[in-house]
Amino acid sequence: MLAALHPLKLASSATIRPLGYRIIRRGITQGTRHRLPKITPIHPRFYSTSTTMSAPQIPTEQWAQVVEQKGGPAVYKRIPVPKPGPDEVLINIKYSGVCHTDLHAMKGDWPLATKMPFVGGHEGAGVVVARGELVKDIEIGDYAGIKWLNGSCLSCSYCQQSDESLCPDALLSGYTVDGSFQEYAIGKAAHVARIPKDLSLEAVSPILCAGLTVYKALKESGARPGQQVAVVGAGGGLGSLAIQYAKAMGLHTIAIDGGAEKGEMCKTLGAEDYIDFTTTKNLVQDVKSKTPDGFGPHAVLLLAVSEGPFQQASEYVRSRGSIVCVGLPGNAFLKAPVFDTVVRMINIKGSYVGNRQDTAEAIDFFRRGLIQAPYKVVGLSQLQEIFELMKESKIAGRYVVDTSR
């Protein structure tokens, strides 16, 4: 069984034993009321593993996790290896991050139909082993990644303006097309992430969704270097990356979450202030007090998985500030007073996923050693156990599955 990692209880103990969270050279330990040890910056190049693919031998069958009915479970079984179409590549997936979206897809939580049966996953990093005859800009042996946006038409008005995620014919990995919880996955060549060969495939995989999503949201916020941004849900997988991207972009971060352990983690990752919603007596006033003029942050990133923070953000964002909705709590609604929103010129918007250029930029931040995602590697065969931990909110950081086991 996998270790249950409580989201509010990250590391503490005199002896730190490595469990695979690469953000910390000495690891994050499991258990109760652990403190987070000091982060030692590790440039991703230092732990890169080289993979060469000369004349790759492609099998006819592979191991995959298949959702055969709404609600799951995911079934670990042998399925055929797909063949790429003319504009597609076949990627030998080495590692894939596991996202809450994968759990939502299995449970059928969203008002968007999935293919059935389907293979989930959309943070897959691997090596190109085959390509269609129309593909000219990707070579066999290149590193590439499967993202949430698997493909789009490239010709509609949205695609022409670099809003491919809004394409009415968008293909979604692990949702409308099979994703990365398999050894070999198909991606449209125009949309697969280009991954530099000096990067670790296991370490970069969470960037393909979690990192890209928060990086895009920060760009959408319009916050400029030197300004303040509040990150709600800062102690989670998305939040831990949002803090780092914000710092790398020159922003001052106010982290909001629950628990002292998460507060310590947020501070270690680069947050300048932390507000514990479980202990504060006046969250709105506390957030405003962390800004130099007391008017509140210039932007708020809502990464929360509950509805409450979406109703409260307009009370502490500064006038002419932006509220960016990223988290997708089930059956939740936004609420803000119309008068206050108008006279204070508050901008409320949603941010989905990044485009191809956003992807390249998000990966480049990681390549330069500015972003380090906490993660733990387990076998693909253990995916259903990860989902069970997700349901119980017992995961801190990110799980990455190794497709070879």
Side-chain angles (χ1 to χ4, degrees):
M1 294 296 291
L2 299 180
L5 301 174
H6 194 287
L8 303 186
K9 299 187 177 180
L10 299 176
S12 133
S13 144
T15 303
I16 303 299
R17 301 183 182 279
L19 283 182
Y21 282 88
R22 271 45 174 195
I23 188 171
I24 301 163
R25 189 178 293 276
R26 296 180 297 169
I28 291 180
T29 64
Q30 70 178 54
T32 57
R33 302 199 64 80
H34 289 299
R35 294 184 182 278
L36 188 71
K38 181 180 179 181
I39 288 179
T40 302
I42 308 171
H43 195 286
R45 295 184 185 183
F46 293 169
Y47 46 78
S48 174
T49 348
S50 174
T51 304
T52 57
M53 295 294 293
S54 56
Q57 298 297 311
I58 303 172
T60 57
E61 285 193 336
Q62 61 171 331
W63 285 104
Q65 287 280 5
V66 183
V67 177
E68 299 179 324
Q69 60 183 357
K70 181 179 177 180
V75 180
Y76 189 54
K77 61 188 292 187
R78 301 281 288 177
I79 65 171
V81 172
K83 294 182 179 180
D87 62 343
E88 297 173 335
V89 294
L90 178 66
I91 301 174
N92 177 200
I93 301 296
K94 300 297 186 182
Y95 300 95
S96 179
V98 185
C99 177
H100 267 86
T101 294
D102 300 314
L103 179 59
H104 286 304
M106 184 179 72
K107 294 169 61 180
D109 287 340
W110 294 344
L112 176 65
T114 64
K115 73 185 292 286
M116 192 64 69
F118 72 91
V119 176
H122 56 273
E123 289 184 347
V127 182
V128 176
V129 294
R131 64 179 187 176
E133 61 268 24
L134 298 180
V135 180
K136 306 299 181 185
D137 62 336
I138 300 179
E139 301 296 333
I140 304 301
D142 282 355
Y143 283 7
I146 296 290
K147 307 173 299 176
W148 173 247
L149 186 62
N150 190 282
S152 68
C153 75
L154 299 178
S155 61
C156 70
S157 57
Y158 292 115
C159 287
Q160 290 184 41
Q161 297 181 62
S162 301
D163 280 328
E164 299 101 346
S165 62
L166 303 180
C167 175
D169 297 318
L171 304 175
L172 307 178
S173 300
Y175 207 96
T176 63
V177 297
D178 288 336
S180 55
F181 293 150
Q182 55 184 334
E183 294 179 274
Y184 293 86
I186 293 288
K188 294 291 184 182
H191 280 283
V192 295
R194 273 64 169 173
I195 301 174
K197 278 196 173 182
D198 58 352
L199 297 186
S200 162
L201 291 174
E202 66 178 60
V204 78
S205 61
I207 303 299
L208 301 178
C209 175
L212 173 59
T213 297
V214 296
Y215 174 65
K216 176 66 170 181
L218 286 165
K219 290 178 68 175
E220 288 288 331
S221 76
R224 299 191 299 273
Q227 295 183 336
Q228 287 77 36
V229 57
V231 178
V232 185
L238 288 174
S240 64
L241 291 171
I243 292 170
Q244 296 178 72
Y245 274 105
K247 181 179 179 179
M249 296 165 72
L251 299 169
H252 302 285
T253 306
I254 303 168
I256 303 173
D257 214 311
E261 290 81 9
K262 281 195 174 182
E264 186 174 349
M265 183 190 77
C266 290
K267 288 287 191 71
T268 305
L269 292 174
E272 297 186 14
D273 295 289
Y274 177 73
I275 297 173
D276 187 339
F277 69 79
T278 66
T279 59
T280 180
K281 295 180 179 179
N282 190 329
L283 186 141
V284 171
Q285 189 54 45
D286 285 350
V287 174
K288 288 184 174 182
S289 70
K290 300 300 183 183
T291 59
D293 55 13
F295 292 154
H298 298 80
V300 179
L301 259 61
L302 292 169
L303 311 177
V305 294
S306 59
E307 185 178 38
F310 289 78
Q311 316 287 20
Q312 193 176 35
S314 65
E315 298 179 38
Y316 56 76
V317 70
R318 76 192 291 118
S319 296
R320 200 182 270 280
S322 296
I323 298 172
V324 185
C325 304
V326 180
L328 293 169
N331 301 311
F333 289 88
L334 282 167
K335 183 179 179 181
V338 174
F339 181 85
D340 202 43
T341 302
V342 172
V343 300
R344 293 180 52 215
M345 300 178 68
I346 296 172
N347 184 16
I348 302 175
K349 59 168 65 177
S351 181
Y352 188 25
V353 290
N355 59 28
R356 289 169 288 172
Q357 181 60 35
D358 297 322
T359 303
E361 293 171 5
I363 291 175
D364 187 61
F365 274 90
F366 177 81
R367 185 190 63 81
R368 288 184 283 150
L370 300 172
I371 309 298
Q372 302 170 45
Y375 67 97
K376 179 179 181 178
V377 180
V378 300
L380 175 62
S381 60
Q382 297 173 275
L383 179 64
Q384 186 59 39
E385 295 176 50
I386 299 174
F387 285 153
E388 295 305 318
L389 292 179
M390 278 187 177
K391 292 176 184 177
E392 299 171 12
S393 299
K394 290 182 178 178
I395 293 178
R398 204 77 162 176
Y399 267 104
V400 172
V401 293
D402 178 346
T403 64
S404 68
R405 53 190 173 101

